[in-house]
Each structure stands twice: as C-alpha cells, then as structure tokens.
Amino acid sequence: MLGICEAMNLGDALGVDPTVLAGVMNVSTAKCWSSEVNNPHPAAAKEIGSGASANGYEGGFGAALMLKDLNLAVGAGEEEGLALPVAGLTRDLYRMANLHGYGRKDFGVLLQFLKGTN
C-alpha cells in the first residue's frame, strides 16, 4: 500500500490523471491488490468501483490495525535478529499517521497523510 500511495502522490504532483495512472499500473508490473482493488486515491477508486478511499476512507482495514500488524512484524524480526528496514519505516509512517488522527480510517489514508491533507 505504501508504494501505491507514493506513486499516486507523485502522479498528482506531476499532474497525471489518477485514473490514467491507476490504469497503467494495473496493466504493468505495478499491478497489485492495492492498485487494482483498494486504490488509495479517491478518483481512481471511484473509477474502478471499489476501495475505501472512494468513501472518505471509511470502512476497510484501519490504519491503527495496520500499525498493530507492523509492530508485530518488526518485533518478530527483531527477535530473530533480522533487519526489516522497509517494514520499520512503514511502521513509523503509520505511527505518525495514527498520532495525527488517521487511525480509524482505512490504511490507504496514508496517501492523504503523505500529502499533508485530511
């Protein structure tokens, strides 16, 4: 999800239509559940007809739950002496998003957090 959030955020900054970007991603190696089924960009989600972002990030899998799961994963890695730098960074971003009040929203709301919007 974080990678799709970053890609959609970059697309917005570059002026790329989010539905076009999602369409390109979904016929390329970027295709994944987060781009095709639960796209974090509201316009793309409305176009594909699914995704909590189309409904103000209501419903779906909560950002607070994602933080819980990331804490478990990073903790398990630490117990095994494994470095999980991407999981750790993702956990930190979700922690900050939760601290800013996004915890009850679908975890795709990280797009809005990265943009600095609600």
Side-chain angles (χ1 to χ4, degrees):
M1 179 61 80
L2 177 57
I4 300 301
C5 286
E6 285 189 336
M8 298 306 289
N9 193 20
L10 178 60
D12 274 349
L14 296 173
V16 178
D17 181 318
T19 62
V20 171
L21 179 56
V24 170
M25 290 166 49
N26 289 331
V27 294
S28 69
T29 55
K31 182 178 179 178
C32 63
W33 181 85
S34 294
S35 67
E36 186 178 37
V37 176
N38 194 40
N39 195 293
H41 198 290
K46 286 177 185 168
E47 179 73 17
I48 61 176
S50 70
S53 64
N55 189 33
Y57 300 94
E58 296 299 326
F61 187 72
L65 292 173
M66 178 54 74
L67 176 59
K68 174 197 62 84
D69 288 352
L70 287 163
N71 279 327
L72 291 170
V74 172
E78 289 170 352
E79 286 178 16
E80 295 301 318
L82 297 174
L84 300 174
V86 175
L89 175 60
T90 304
R91 177 197 57 192
D92 292 346
L93 289 168
Y94 274 101
R95 181 181 296 138
M96 288 186 286
N98 273 268
L99 290 172
H100 283 88
Y102 291 95
R104 294 185 183 263
K105 299 287 187 176
D106 177 77
F107 75 121
V109 78
L110 198 60
L111 171 65
Q112 301 305 321
F113 176 73
L114 293 171
K115 288 175 176 265
T117 60
N118 291 339

